[in-house]
Amino acid sequence: MSTGGDGKFHFAVDRGGTFTDLHYTLPDGSENVSKLLSVDPSNYDDAPTEGIRRILNEYDPTGKKHPRGEVVDTSLIGSIRMGTTVATNALLEREGERMGLVITKGFKDLLHINNQTRSDIFDLTCKAPKVLYEEVVEVDERVMLAEFFDEGKSQATIELLETQPSAEDEQQNASSRYCTSSWSKTGVGKRIKGVTGEQVIPLCSPDPDAIRRSLQSLADKGIKSLAIVFLHSYVYPEHEILVGDIAKSMNCFTEISLSHEVMSMVKVVPRGHTVSAAAYLTPKITEYLASFTKGFDSELMSNVRLDFMKSDGGLTPVNDFGGHQAILSGPAGGVVGYAKTSYRPSLDKDESKSTKPLPVIGFDMGGTSTDVSRYDGSLELVFETTTAGVSIQAPQLDIHTVAAGGGSRLFLQNGLFVVGPESAKAHPGPICYRKNGYLAVTDANVVLGRVIPDYFPNIFGPNEDEPLDLAGAREAFEKLKMESTEAEGRSVEELAYGFIQVANEAMCRPIRNLTQMRGFDITSHALACFGGAGPQHACAMARALGIKKVYVHRYGGVLSAYGLSMADAVVEEQEPAKEVYAVAKSGGGFDESIDPSASTREERLQYLAKKARLSLTKQGYSENSVVIEKYLNMRYQGTDNAIMIKESNSASALPYAEKFVEQYHREFGFELDGRDILIDDFRVRGVVPGKTLQPPAATPQLGSPTPAGKTKAYFENGWEHVSTYNMEDLKPGHEIQGPAIIFQSISTIVLEIGCVAAVTSDGDLDIDVAQLHSDAASFANDEREAEIIEDPVQLSIFAHRFMGIAEQMGRTLARTAISVNIKERLDFSCALFTSDGGLVANAPHIPVHLGAMQSAVRFQVEYWNGEGREGIKEGDVFVSNHPQLAGGSHLPDITVITPIFHEGKIIFFVASRGHHSDIGGVSPGSMPPHSVNLKDEGARIVAFKLVKDGKFQEDGITEILVNQGDVPGTRNLKDNISDLRAQVAANNSGIRLLHQLVHENGLKKVEAYMHFIQHNAEMAVRNMLKDFASAHGTRAHSIDYMDDGTPIELTIEIDPMTGSACFDFEGTGPQILGNLNAPPAVTYSAVIYSLRSLVGQDIPLNQGCLTPIEFKIPAYSLLNPSDDVGVVGGNVLTSQRVVDVVLKAFKACAASQGCMNNLTFGDDRFGYYETIAGGSGAGPTWEGRSGVHTHCTNTRITDPEILERRYPVLLRRFGLRKGSGGNGKHNGGDGVIREIEPLRPLVMSILSERRTLQPYGLNGGEPGMTGRNLLVKKDGVVLNIGAKRSGSLSVGERLVIETPGGGGYGKATD
């Protein structure tokens, strides 16, 4: 296609892991694409250079040749744009530069601990990717925010505090063994205005001589790259600048990255990870650039504009391209490509009338994974993501990745068809690659005739000269069929097609999450597919999602490169802020007469705009071409969910507030009346727009083209004789009826039955997807319907759908809740149940909730259907929390249960359980360390209709929460009500999705597969128990003790024939006068978690896991107490010990920390709650992980900078407790040390265990160390305050929490 050229070649190059794609514009303006292997050392050193050389050699208008082996002449090259996976691959494979981390003293292990959660709650190894740094230097520097410390103090007092500490103070401080810094008294030092306008106090400045010695030690070890991150450097960067300058002056380091320069945003953990990524990856990019540029003549950098694609979808000059900006460099080009080619008005075939563009879902299916994203007129960005275990805090396109691609391996396990997450990778690859690879999705497509070897180049086999191996792929499926009961009665084709269906559902799941969880109607979108494998699956996936339109661009196989050719040049400038934008009025809305940030806001935005404009003009762009976009990063006061809001043209007095409230309501479903809107960051995005395509013209209807050939391919009805077409033979206006197969030069398009593909004026494919409708209603009600037989393929698909619904309920709850506990710490769980209350799917949120809600649902069913009660009606929603009477865990965990009706009959239940920050009781936070009666712990709800006849019963639930007799009621009613409404909303999302599932499949089928999925989990547990009995005998026993000496004893008797087992807790001690008593639901949760972990494979989590188990729990014991005793510690402490006892009986691993280390603090103005990580137990093949939450909890911990910005405390230390893990052949993980100092008098409460008895080692391994809770007085005296204590701390005192380590496994000498 020629549009008139400028006499130069322009290249857009996407260097992927397997292939390098090029889009190029010739001197005459015509365009084309090409593809070559990214690695081919026998022929060339660098694929992008070779691709450019080949094109110059073929099209040079002067006739000059550009032979291989000579540097490339750049005289005719106008520009080169590149996207690369170099940084991504280096991050994934941990092959970056050797790097040292320089961080504030006391926080050496902060990035290792991260947010203390584990990615897979059932993985007993707690494995996590390695940190990027090799060595750590702690710098004795500290900055604190002055606001909380100075509040209420006179100016004279503050001026006195600004004097330096005396020698006496320093000597006193140094005398304490718990001193972590050279600085003495908190709050003593000069007040300095920081970047945000906040007052900061530099408590201690870096010692230049000590810095040089420490950095020299790194250099002596061969460290060439540094990442420097200090607490609060986003607001006060001087200490980072000082250390950076010292490092530069030493001339030892090739890369020095400062966190405030890389991304100046609050949150030290993601900022620390981001600066680490910059230091770790930028040298790799520099290394690659050196390799790339040596292939060109010396004029490359002066003659040619060389730009790289950043993760935010914008181009940047090569000298500004940092490693942290490169993580999504490759996928970003594809997003820009489909955004600019697929988001366009549709043309009515008859009247040639434009319609509004459909929002588009991008579907990029590669070899090992699939990326999905969304576009609706602007690129959707996020500002904090996690890749390969590293949190990146930088503008990035909102791309969701799932481990399912053409190379995803295929398994039959536990009665299920399983696709991935393991990958065959490029080498050895799928079976059909002829390199002794693994059975994969590509093999299934080859066997089904959807990928035809004759239309692929002969680049396979050991010598890369053979075609795809159809016979080998068939043989592998034949072998799998013979070995697996799941394949019984299936042909090879049926087996392969089953895997394709399961793979499609796995890829549909993130698309549903991307749209439905954010309130978008998935059926109103188009699907734009690209990548080599995407077009083979797109039509089938669109049909499953209810999407009616699929776009396949003519350059779909190289769309990332094409997107690069059209991308914008972008410069981002950002500064942190702490401003009030809008002041809330008491009656709702905002006071438009007040604009507190007006002068500062405009001044800082203009300053950032000037910087962005100057940067782009220096790159050679004209000032008139620069478009400035202004943003405020805004949040409601008291929340952590900030939203980046773009400047609008609204005439409102507070236009940003109007847009913020609108977007907040769409994202979260509500508004927060009475709360100010705050500004966290000022941001400017300078843009030089790239090429924009014209909408396609109307085309004449040419009918069906002549097929290029015929072939057989397998579809839902079996083998079909289908026509094949070559894309280059098709003309605008041609229409192709499915089923059919269309070959592009670099991909294959499978047109499903009933789909129609039209060729646009640009040569792209516009596919109408036929929806296969079944009469779901009649199917659901037809009692004569034949019995539904369990099918492993359908079972696998329904497993995805059920779990996907539970996960979306969780995302809805997290979006719509108010409290920190639910919204940010994610202390909640959501689940689906059968009509009799049997658990079907419990999303893996908080382990201690697993299986427990089943008891709560069944109690409500029994209660409301009891004699004399009003029964269960449509429009009812129930709420409960009573641990002993209503299936609860502890009182702060409130369960909301909603029945689902169909034609007047209950067909399912959905439920959500969330930890409320306060529900009354004798202490703030409703987690009293010394409660003995249940009433002391807060409001008790046995059964109440939270919603009745569709109306939320706010007065009734308020009465329950507020009026608790002689015990204080809730201290945070507003948040309680808001979170309960959020739980109702989460349940409603589950209802909607389940109704949709019934509409698609019929009620009878959905009900049947709910029971099949329970049976599947049951059989997986039975098989595990049989295997254990075969290896270790039919009887297992273990005992462990709480710190007060109360035993938890378990005897397991296994029937080796059936896999049934009796879990007998006879011997467990009596209930105690305290709050460690645990209701039976907690024991059920601990056991179901343990069994699921022991199975060791991804099985559905539901009632079936407990079906083989008979429980015997003595009445009035610690695990089955009376209904009036305290239980708040049972849920958070005893649960951990029950897991230890179960895992010990199964000889699985050593004990983990056995505690959650519950800390609460506050006063009459606020309350705060956190749980603190410890060490995990070692196992037969693994070391215990240090500083991680284990077993029954997985909640996040607050970032140190957020903690100090929001609450009146100073976090003096947070790191690993070295040596606290037990020794062994495999050592237990270490606990942590967390040291907190109040900045005004606060009540602090600690509720913990394992302070007396050590976490056991196993098989000869040594036990982990017990934890300690210490109070450091002002005079340096240290007090051990025991495991459970509540009291007031004064300014200058410190609470030091040392958490237990995990036990070791095996003798250290083995």
Side-chain angles (χ1 to χ4, degrees):
M1 182 185 300
S2 178
T3 57
D6 62 0
K8 296 276 190 178
F9 287 86
H10 297 274
F11 297 97
V13 187
D14 176 39
R15 186 189 187 280
T18 305
F19 290 104
T20 291
D21 302 330
L22 291 93
H23 172 273
Y24 51 94
T25 303
L26 300 177
D28 64 0
S30 57
E31 298 177 322
N32 210 335
V33 296
S34 67
K35 181 186 286 278
L36 70 161
L37 289 170
S38 290
V39 180
D40 190 356
S42 61
N43 290 306
Y44 46 82
D45 293 330
D46 179 70
T49 306
E50 172 65 11
I52 291 171
R53 185 202 64 77
R54 290 179 184 180
I55 294 161
L56 289 171
N57 195 55
E58 182 174 354
Y59 295 105
D60 190 322
T62 68
K64 178 180 177 179
K65 292 303 177 183
H66 299 260
R68 185 180 293 166
E70 296 182 8
V71 294
V72 175
D73 180 359
T74 62
S75 60
L76 285 178
I77 301 177
S79 67
I80 300 173
R81 297 177 166 192
M82 290 188 65
T84 176
T85 57
V86 168
T88 311
N89 293 337
L91 185 63
L92 291 170
E93 296 162 15
R94 293 300 195 261
E95 292 181 349
E97 181 61 81
R98 294 184 64 193
M99 188 265 287
L101 175 69
V102 182
I103 195 167
T104 303
K105 188 174 181 180
F107 297 88
K108 175 181 179 180
D109 307 303
L110 186 64
L111 301 189
H112 170 94
I113 298 170
N114 199 20
N115 64 10
Q116 77 180 8
T117 64
R118 56 199 192 278
S119 59
D120 180 354
I121 63 173
F122 302 114
D123 179 9
L124 295 176
T125 72
C126 299
K127 62 176 178 285
K130 293 192 302 182
V131 292
L132 302 182
Y133 52 84
E134 192 173 314
E135 298 283 340
V136 183
V137 167
E138 290 187 281
V139 175
D140 199 2
E141 69 81 38
R142 190 62 156 97
V143 170
M144 69 174 285
L145 304 178
E147 178 184 2
F148 287 117
F149 188 84
D150 286 354
E151 66 180 355
K153 292 183 174 66
S154 67
Q155 186 59 38
T157 301
I158 293 173
E159 289 174 0
L160 184 62
L161 288 167
E162 290 191 307
T163 60
Q164 293 300 310
S166 66
E168 180 184 352
D169 288 332
E170 292 185 1
Q171 179 61 40
Q172 175 180 293
N173 186 69
S175 67
S176 171
R177 61 175 292 200
Y178 292 95
C179 164
T180 56
S181 306
S182 64
W183 48 277
S184 60
K185 290 187 176 179
T186 300
V188 175
K190 292 289 184 182
R191 271 61 175 166
I192 299 173
K193 186 177 181 180
V195 173
T196 61
E198 295 168 273
Q199 293 290 315
V200 299
I201 309 170
L203 298 173
C204 179
S205 296
D207 178 349
D209 292 336
I211 295 295
R212 286 189 183 90
R213 289 192 297 271
S214 296
L215 295 184
Q216 187 62 52
S217 70
L218 293 184
D220 292 343
K221 295 175 182 177
I223 300 295
K224 297 292 185 183
S225 188
L226 292 181
I228 302 172
V229 57
F230 296 149
L231 263 68
H232 299 298
S233 63
Y234 70 96
V235 65
Y236 185 77
E238 276 70 17
H239 289 177
E240 283 191 359
I241 293 170
L242 172 63
V243 175
D245 288 343
I246 293 172
K248 290 173 188 174
S249 71
M250 295 173 66
N251 295 317
C252 299
F253 305 102
T254 57
E255 177 65 30
I256 302 168
S257 297
L258 310 183
S259 78
H260 77 276
E261 292 179 348
V262 169
M263 178 50 67
S264 190
M265 292 182 75
V266 68
K267 289 189 182 179
V268 65
V269 173
R271 195 173 72 252
H273 281 301
T274 305
V275 72
S276 296
Y280 186 72
L281 300 174
T282 301
K284 282 297 175 182
I285 292 174
T286 303
E287 179 183 311
Y288 172 69
L289 287 173
S291 171
F292 173 72
T293 55
K294 76 178 183 180
F296 295 82
D297 64 28
S298 60
E299 303 301 314
L300 174 67
M301 301 306 290
S302 56
N303 283 352
V304 179
R305 178 185 292 280
L306 180 57
D307 292 328
F308 275 76
M309 174 64 85
K310 297 184 297 180
S311 297
D312 65 357
L315 295 168
T316 192
V318 59
N319 54 327
D320 291 336
F321 190 48
H324 66 293
Q325 301 170 317
I327 306 301
L328 298 180
S329 175
V335 175
V336 173
Y338 85 75
K340 294 216 172 190
T341 60
S342 301
Y343 186 77
R344 49 184 167 75
S346 299
L347 292 174
D348 187 282
K349 294 177 182 177
D350 297 325
E351 302 177 12
S352 299
K353 291 183 178 179
S354 295
T355 60
K356 182 182 177 182
L358 291 174
V360 187
I361 294 166
F363 169 57
D364 180 5
M365 183 178 177
T368 60
S369 63
T370 294
D371 294 330
V372 298
S373 53
R374 181 180 181 274
Y375 184 82
D376 190 10
S378 62
L379 296 175
E380 298 187 352
L381 301 179
V382 291
F383 294 84
E384 186 178 324
T385 58
T386 300
T387 302
V390 178
S391 297
I392 303 295
Q393 192 181 50
Q396 299 177 76
L397 292 171
D398 190 7
I399 297 174
H400 295 230
T401 301
V402 60
S408 292
R409 293 176 59 186
L410 309 178
F411 306 93
L412 293 171
Q413 295 174 345
N414 294 315
L416 295 172
F417 279 52
V418 179
V419 178
E422 299 89 343
S423 173
K425 301 184 179 178
H427 182 81
I431 295 289
C432 61
Y433 280 19
R434 299 179 184 268
K435 293 182 180 179
N436 298 316
Y438 303 99
L439 196 61
V441 170
T442 298
D443 293 308
N445 278 315
V446 169
V447 165
L448 297 173
R450 292 164 168 250
V451 169
I452 302 174
D454 290 347
Y455 287 86
F456 266 69
N458 293 347
I459 58 173
F460 303 98
N463 299 320
E464 299 184 347
D465 58 357
E466 298 179 76
L468 288 167
D469 187 4
L470 170 59
R474 284 193 65 88
E475 183 180 340
F477 276 108
E478 288 280 8
K479 183 179 179 182
L480 183 65
K481 176 185 171 185
M482 300 297 293
E483 294 174 347
S484 308
T485 58
E486 293 91 343
E488 187 175 335
R490 292 177 184 272
S491 66
V492 165
E493 293 81 9
E494 289 170 333
L495 187 59
Y497 189 69
F499 278 115
I500 293 295
Q501 290 177 289
V502 174
N504 288 346
E505 179 55 41
M507 292 182 288
C508 285
R509 193 160 156 184
I511 294 176
R512 290 191 179 96
N513 291 341
L514 183 69
T515 52
Q516 292 172 338
M517 78 172 187
R518 294 173 56 195
F520 298 118
D521 178 7
I522 194 170
T523 64
S524 67
H525 291 66
L527 186 68
C529 70
F530 52 105
Q536 298 157 29
H537 298 258
C539 289
M541 289 176 56
R543 177 176 288 161
L545 293 165
I547 291 174
K548 302 175 182 65
K549 184 73 71 175
V550 171
Y551 297 133
V552 182
H553 195 268
R554 63 189 180 280
Y555 297 148
V558 294
L559 197 62
S560 289
Y562 189 50
L564 278 163
S565 73
M566 299 182 289
D568 304 336
V570 173
V571 168
E572 293 267 2
E573 297 290 348
Q574 185 165 318
E575 285 186 351
K578 189 179 183 185
E579 303 278 351
V580 176
Y581 177 77
V583 177
K585 294 194 297 187
S586 58
F590 301 95
D591 189 339
E592 295 190 357
S593 67
I594 304 174
D595 189 354
S597 66
S599 59
T600 304
R601 182 176 73 243
E602 288 310 310
E603 178 184 336
R604 294 181 70 182
L605 287 172
Q606 288 300 330
Y607 167 71
L608 295 175
K610 183 178 179 180
K611 284 181 67 177
R613 189 176 286 109
L614 180 61
S615 178
L616 286 166
T617 55
K618 282 183 177 180
Q619 295 174 30
Y621 297 105
S622 68
E623 188 168 346
N624 291 337
S625 67
V626 178
V627 177
I628 295 296
E629 300 173 353
K630 298 177 182 178
Y631 298 83
L632 299 180
N633 198 28
M634 311 176 80
R635 62 181 173 85
Y636 279 119
Q637 186 175 30
T639 71
D640 270 345
N641 287 85
I643 301 176
M644 196 67 74
I645 301 298
K646 185 178 179 180
E647 183 180 40
S648 71
N649 295 322
S650 170
S652 166
L654 298 170
Y656 283 99
E658 181 180 64
K659 192 73 174 176
F660 171 81
V661 171
E662 175 188 323
Q663 190 166 334
Y664 196 95
H665 190 277
R666 181 180 63 76
E667 285 279 329
F668 305 120
F670 59 91
E671 301 164 20
L672 293 178
D673 290 335
R675 300 203 190 198
D676 296 346
I677 298 177
L678 309 181
I679 304 172
D680 275 350
D681 301 276
F682 298 112
R683 172 176 168 243
V684 163
R685 185 174 171 93
V687 179
V688 177
K691 181 171 64 176
T692 301
L693 301 177
Q694 294 299 314
T699 57
Q701 295 188 36
L702 301 182
S704 299
T706 302
K710 292 280 187 179
T711 189
K712 281 196 347 179
Y714 197 91
F715 292 87
E716 63 259 30
N717 298 326
W719 285 106
E720 301 273 355
H721 291 278
V722 301
S723 297
T724 62
Y725 302 86
N726 292 320
M727 195 71 191
E728 58 263 30
D729 297 335
L730 303 180
K731 302 285 189 281
H734 274 146
E735 283 193 354
I736 300 171
Q737 300 284 334
I741 295 178
I742 304 169
F743 301 107
Q744 289 181 318
S745 60
I746 39 189
S747 65
T748 299
I749 302 158
V750 175
L751 204 60
E752 297 283 341
I753 295 172
C755 296
V756 180
V759 183
T760 70
S761 61
D762 291 333
D764 307 326
L765 290 182
D766 191 330
I767 303 172
D768 289 326
V769 179
Q771 302 298 316
L772 299 181
H773 297 289
S774 61
D775 191 346
S778 64
F779 179 72
N781 294 314
D782 190 352
E783 297 299 332
R784 298 167 298 173
E785 187 73 36
E787 181 184 359
I788 296 173
I789 305 300
E790 180 178 342
D791 175 76
V793 173
Q794 289 297 308
L795 188 66
S796 305
I797 292 171
F798 273 102
H800 276 287
R801 293 297 296 272
F802 292 145
M803 190 57 73
I805 292 170
E807 288 173 349
Q808 287 200 52
M809 288 174 63
R811 289 186 176 93
T812 300
L813 181 51
R815 284 193 306 112
T816 56
I818 294 296
S819 68
V820 171
N821 269 357
I822 295 178
K823 195 173 197 67
E824 284 130 32
R825 293 182 61 247
L826 306 182
D827 194 349
F828 64 81
S829 289
C830 299
L832 323 178
F833 304 84
T834 57
S835 58
D836 64 354
L839 178 65
V840 173
N842 199 138
H845 294 131
I846 299 300
V848 78
H849 297 164
L850 300 177
M853 282 191 284
Q854 176 174 290
S855 300
V857 174
R858 285 183 162 167
F859 173 82
Q860 295 299 316
V861 173
E862 181 181 344
Y863 178 89
W864 290 105
N865 287 330
E867 186 176 349
R869 298 197 174 98
E870 58 192 83
I872 301 174
K873 301 174 183 177
E874 197 160 359
D876 287 347
V877 178
F878 312 117
V879 62
S880 69
N881 72 342
H882 200 292
Q884 294 94 314
L885 298 181
S889 45
H890 63 175
L891 294 180
D893 284 345
I894 298 181
T895 305
V896 173
I897 302 163
T898 308
I900 304 177
F901 283 81
H902 179 74
E903 297 183 351
K905 175 186 173 185
I906 294 175
I907 55 174
F908 314 122
F909 287 91
V910 289
S912 54
R913 176 171 288 180
H915 185 116
H916 287 240
S917 58
D918 195 293
I919 55 158
V922 295
S923 70
S926 305
M927 298 283 291
H930 292 299
S931 58
V932 296
N933 297 311
L934 189 65
K935 67 181 181 66
D936 295 334
E937 298 173 0
R940 292 146 291 158
I941 310 170
V942 175
F944 179 72
K945 290 193 176 183
L946 182 65
V947 178
K948 187 174 182 179
D949 298 326
K951 296 179 182 179
F952 189 85
Q953 303 297 302
E954 184 165 346
D955 291 344
I957 193 64
T958 297
E959 175 68 20
I960 292 172
L961 293 171
V962 171
N963 296 321
Q964 299 177 28
D966 58 351
V967 176
T970 179
R971 300 162 182 85
N972 203 349
L973 178 65
K974 192 173 182 180
D975 279 8
N976 293 138
I977 298 299
S978 296
D979 283 351
L980 287 170
R981 288 185 182 275
Q983 289 179 255
V984 173
N987 289 2
N988 286 340
S989 72
I991 294 171
R992 176 175 52 81
L993 294 170
L994 278 168
H995 274 306
Q996 180 180 321
L997 191 62
V998 169
H999 177 75
E1000 293 172 12
N1001 296 276
L1003 177 59
K1004 187 171 183 178
K1005 186 174 183 180
V1006 174
E1007 288 180 323
Y1009 275 92
M1010 282 189 168
H1011 292 292
F1012 293 155
I1013 210 77
Q1014 291 172 332
H1015 181 256
N1016 177 267
E1018 175 189 343
M1019 295 311 298
V1021 171
R1022 288 187 186 278
N1023 289 336
M1024 182 275 292
L1025 292 169
K1026 290 178 187 177
D1027 291 343
F1028 178 84
S1030 175
H1032 302 284
T1034 60
R1035 187 176 188 276
H1037 175 268
S1038 68
I1039 189 170
D1040 199 3
Y1041 299 86
M1042 304 298 287
D1043 278 352
D1044 66 357
T1046 300
I1048 299 176
E1049 187 168 0
L1050 171 64
T1051 302
I1052 303 173
E1053 297 284 352
I1054 302 173
D1055 185 331
M1057 301 301 295
T1058 65
S1060 296
C1062 175
F1063 280 52
D1064 187 350
F1065 288 90
E1066 187 65 43
T1068 296
Q1071 66 185 45
I1072 66 171
L1073 189 65
N1075 61 28
L1076 296 183
N1077 305 292
V1082 170
T1083 298
Y1084 302 153
S1085 293
V1087 170
I1088 198 173
Y1089 161 79
S1090 301
L1091 294 174
R1092 169 62 182 81
S1093 299
L1094 290 167
V1095 168
Q1097 294 178 344
D1098 189 10
I1099 66 168
L1101 184 70
N1102 56 48
Q1103 170 192 330
C1105 293
L1106 290 183
T1107 299
I1109 310 302
E1110 176 191 0
F1111 285 92
K1112 292 183 178 179
I1113 307 176
Y1116 305 117
S1117 69
L1118 183 73
L1119 303 183
N1120 190 8
S1122 60
D1123 60 17
D1124 57 350
V1125 297
V1127 298
V1128 72
N1131 187 63
V1132 294
L1133 300 177
T1134 309
S1135 62
Q1136 298 282 62
R1137 306 299 278 281
V1138 173
V1139 172
D1140 281 343
V1141 168
V1142 174
L1143 295 180
K1144 185 179 182 181
F1146 281 98
K1147 304 177 174 64
C1149 60
S1152 293
Q1153 69 159 330
C1155 180
M1156 295 185 194
N1157 305 295
N1158 304 269
L1159 173 67
T1160 58
F1161 59 78
D1163 54 20
D1164 57 356
R1165 294 155 64 181
F1166 81 100
Y1168 174 81
Y1169 170 55
E1170 68 181 22
T1171 56
I1172 306 172
S1176 74
T1181 60
W1182 70 86
E1183 306 286 316
R1185 180 162 174 81
S1186 301
V1188 67
H1189 256 329
T1190 56
H1191 299 326
C1192 286
T1193 188
N1194 200 38
T1195 56
R1196 298 175 180 177
I1197 200 157
T1198 307
D1199 185 273
E1201 289 179 347
I1202 294 292
L1203 182 73
E1204 295 187 359
R1205 208 178 195 201
R1206 304 279 172 84
Y1207 303 103
V1209 295
L1210 186 73
L1211 184 64
R1212 280 183 167 249
R1213 182 170 36 153
F1214 186 36
L1216 298 180
R1217 187 185 177 203
K1218 298 295 185 184
S1220 57
N1223 291 330
K1225 180 179 180 180
H1226 299 290
N1227 293 333
D1230 290 331
V1232 304
I1233 301 177
R1234 192 162 172 87
E1235 182 176 348
I1236 299 177
E1237 178 180 346
L1239 300 183
R1240 66 174 184 243
L1242 296 176
V1243 173
M1244 290 193 170
S1245 302
I1246 182 72
L1247 178 60
S1248 60
E1249 266 284 318
R1250 290 286 194 200
R1251 267 48 182 181
T1252 302
L1253 300 177
Q1254 297 172 269
Y1256 62 78
L1258 202 63
N1259 201 27
E1262 296 180 10
M1265 289 178 62
T1266 57
R1268 292 194 303 179
N1269 304 324
L1270 305 172
L1271 174 63
V1272 182
K1273 304 289 284 184
K1274 293 179 183 180
D1275 58 5
V1277 173
V1278 179
L1279 304 177
N1280 187 331
I1281 62 174
K1284 301 164 186 67
R1285 183 68 59 186
S1286 181
S1288 180
L1289 265 71
S1290 301
V1291 177
E1293 296 182 324
R1294 288 173 275 147
L1295 180 65
V1296 181
I1297 299 172
E1298 300 178 352
T1299 69
Y1305 188 96
K1307 293 182 180 178
T1309 55
D1310 288 353

